[in-house]
Structures are given as C-alpha cells and as structure tokens.
Amino acid sequence: MAAASLPHPGALIIKNDNPLLYYHGRWDASPGTWWASSGFKLNVLNLKSLDLHLGQHTTSPNAAIGVSIDGSDWVTINATQGTNAIPVPSSAKEKLLHPSVVRINVEGWQNNRINLESVVLNSDAILLPYEPSKLAFQFIGDSLSAGQFLPEGVNQAWPFLVGEHFDAETRVNAQPGAALTDIPSYGNVHGVSYQFFRTEDTGFYYTTDHNFTTPWDFSREHPKNTHIVIHIGANDASQGVSNDEFVQVYSDFIAKLRSLNPTQPFFIFTPWGWPNADGSIGYYYDGQYQKIVDTRKALGDHNIFLVNTTGWVEWADVFPDNQHPNVDGHIKIANEFIAWLKRWGLSA
C-alpha cells in the first residue's frame, strides 16, 4: 500500500503493509513482534518527525524498544499502545537530499511485543527502499545470548554487538531459561529445539490473546542467513540432561537447521562456563561440543566450526548474583568472537 496523507495536514501515514517497511525478526500476522531483537527499518528522505502507532497487542504497560537513526547510539523508548513520538536527532533533520536510515527493535527477552499499526512521518518525507546488508547473522541461544539483566537488553548483548561490528542484519532467537532439549525449564514449556521453528517465543504460553504457536515461514527472511551461531546447553545441564541425550538433541537440531541452510557456515560455541569469585569456573558438557562437530564432519559437513570460548569470561565479567555476563562482559565476548571471525576470514 502506498503512503497516504492523514486527514489533518502536516503528516504522512505509512500503513503496516507498506512494502517499503523492512521487517526483521519474528512477526505474527497482527503484525506483532516475538523474540528479542525483532523490529523493522525505514529509509526516509527528508525525515523531520516520526511517530509509531501501536495496537492492542502491544505489551502493557509498555515494551522497551531501541531506536537508532543514521547510526546514532541506541536510545530506549518505552513504547505503549497508541501514539509514540520518536525523537529525531537534529543531524538527521539537517540533511538535505540524503536519506536517513531508521532502525527500531524490541530490547527485552520478555514483555517485548509491539503491534505495529502505522508509522507517521512529516508530510514532505519520502519513504525509500531499504537495502539490507549482504551479511545476515542468525544467533541461537538462551539467557547468555538474549541480553537478560542488561539495562538495554539484547542491544547490549554480544550477538547484537557482533552484528553491529560487521554491519550485518542480525537475528537473535535466544530464550532465557530454555533448554535446547524440548522439556519444561525455568518457566519455559518448550525447548529451543522446538521453539526456534515457531513464530512465537516461549512467552506464548502466558499470553491469553495468543496462547498458541505458529510455524515460522523461513521464506520471509531477507536476506537469507549467511552465518549461524549457536551457544546453548546451560539449562540442559541444569535440568539433568545426560551427555548422550544432549549430543543427540543437538545433532538432530543441527541436521534440521542444515536442511534450511545448506551451505552456510555453522559456529558452535563451547561453554565459557560459570565463573566464581575464587577464580574457578564451572563447565558443563565437557568435550561434547567437539563430539557434535566431529560427528557432523564425519557425515560430510565441512562447513561447521567449533568456537572454543574457554577463558573468555571471568568473575569480573559477570553479575555476581547470577553469573551472567554484565555489560563489559558482553563487550568482551563480542570482541573475542569478532577477532575469531576475522582470523576465520570474515570481513564487514
């Protein structure tokens, strides 16, 4: 649908079905977001004002969204149902004949649903096509990847920082508390091996207006994934999943992913473990990730790589009350993986 003027002067409305809106992440039919990091992008000429109109499926009382315009630092807006004014930096308003790229995503691992009805711009703005990056990272994990406990959620988490460094499109499907194995775990009724293939995150179970799952249509992802990164297993270990069970579940999960991503490189993280104040680190599934990768290679899959994260995270890098990486810890992990990828051969 083309942009149309509002009944009153001075504004231009972009309906949620406008083909020039670039959606990323997991959106349902309303359209509404699921999973941290889902959102959309706009390429706007002559941007001066920006409002979001959000519908009834938006998290109440609000959902934290991150906004970046023209590569500015991310700003958190607590978005609510109704009209939300988004600040436009003066540097964008002063640009003449140069478009501005607007990036918006949900930050939280829960309470992260925005139901987009329309985007309202100044009347003389022109919506242009957004050209996505040729790089597209898919990150899969749990709380250690979702940005749980971080002030700005997923926008401060290591997967998002890695994507930003390489100017890539970034998809993060990471659910705190969830095992890879499809078992109940810390309030999650399904594991990631099930939920990853659904539109909704595991919060669907507690949402009365949407307490069902919908198979995700991977053909909606543009561009297709170019690199797949997996860091998972902490909650399987906590739930007593044995080595053999974990290896089987992980191997089956990779096989299913490979059918969707036949040529893309897979990067399998070993655990960096749980650091303790005395300097010791608690590990889990020692040697099993190597076994998973070796088994795939024996089957002829030579585009799968083990990322040994031993030593990446120490006590100073985590919140002492929950042992999850703090802000500086996530930066450190991101820098370690960026260096690893550059040695592997990736450039922005």
Side-chain angles (χ1 to χ4, degrees), residues 156-158 161 326-336:
Q156 290 178 308
W158 68 269
L161 299 179
N326 53 33
V327 173
D328 289 339
H330 277 275
I331 293 172
K332 182 179 177 182
I333 295 163
N335 288 337
E336 291 280 4

Side-chain angles (χ1 to χ4, degrees), residues 34-83:
W34 296 88
W35 303 87
S37 83
S38 296
F40 63 95
K41 299 180 178 73
L42 298 168
N43 191 17
V44 185
L45 184 65
N46 198 31
L47 176 66
K48 297 173 184 174
S49 66
L50 172 63
D51 289 346
L52 301 184
H53 283 266
L54 303 181
Q56 63 180 338
H57 299 301
T58 300
T59 296
S60 178
N62 60 66
I65 62 172
V67 180
S68 174
I69 300 177
D70 287 335
S72 66
D73 290 341
W74 289 89
V75 176
T76 299
I77 305 291
N78 290 319
T80 63
Q81 179 181 348
T83 301

